[in-house]
Amino acid sequence: MTAGDTPGADGTNTPTSDATATAEPGAATAAPNSGASGRHSASRDRTAATRQDDLDTALARFVELLKEREATVATAESLTGGLVGATLTDVPGISAVYRGGVIVYATDLKATLAGVPEDLLAAVGPVHADTARALAAGVRERLGATYGLATTGVAGPDPQAGIEAGTVYVAAAGPTKVEVRKLSLSGDRATIRWGSVEAVLRLGAELMTEDPG
């Protein structure tokens, strides 16, 4: 349904010479601008590595806080389609703090599985701050967790019901308060979805420092 916008590669093309070389028959020829292509690839690799480091940091902090507080969490996911739950369950021993989650991709399942009021969905739709808030609070209550995390948004590449791709709402619900954050992410579907995972984990950690349960 982060975390901020993901920068693009910044390599530059290698200038070409005015001279023309004639290759012998069967001789190998270098691909044009191969140096630039290599720099683009290296830049993409560095960007991906940075994103992974940011996600790992957010995950470690979130799980650490849960364990310190002997608290539990449940997840309700729309555009991330289970990535938040999968990220959490990559951590050994996570069963001590992770109750489980629901994937509520279809609008009606947001009501039937996560407890979002049907009249709210009819009024504001599935991609809205109030919907994210209700998802986090609903999954927390239904799965009996201390905290609830939720994601909803448009992963793209096309807009949805007039909402631009990259528009995401993440929410975290605790015993006494619910926090919602709107994201405007750029990139392909994978970048937007993983950015949403990182953002909701960071929001959950922030909420725990304010609402310790």
Side-chain angles (χ1 to χ4, degrees), residues 69-87:
R69 288 158 173 74
E70 298 183 345
T72 57
V73 67
T75 54
E77 303 183 59
S78 184
L79 86 155
T80 48
L83 292 179
V84 179
T87 299

Side-chain angles (χ1 to χ4, degrees), residues 60 99 130 203:
R99 291 283 295 164
D130 291 344
L203 183 61

Side-chain angles (χ1 to χ4, degrees), residues 25-119:
T29 57
N33 296 326
S34 59
S37 176
R39 286 195 296 277
H40 277 289
S41 177
S43 179
R44 284 194 299 270
D45 289 345
R46 286 194 299 272
T47 300
T50 299
R51 285 201 302 264
Q52 185 62 53
D53 287 346
D54 290 344
L55 177 60
D56 289 346
T57 299
L59 174 63
R61 177 60 174 159
F62 181 71
V63 173
E64 177 187 29
L65 288 170
L66 283 173
K67 290 180 176 179
E68 284 179 359
R69 288 158 173 74
E70 298 183 345
T72 57
V73 67
T75 54
E77 303 183 59
S78 184
L79 86 155
T80 48
L83 292 179
V84 179
T87 299
L88 287 168
T89 54
D90 274 343
V91 179
I94 197 66
S95 60
V97 295
Y98 184 47
R99 291 283 295 164
V102 294
I103 300 172
V104 286
Y105 216 72
T107 299
D108 63 303
L109 293 183
K110 292 174 173 62
T112 57
L113 295 182
V116 179
E118 292 182 0
D119 57 350

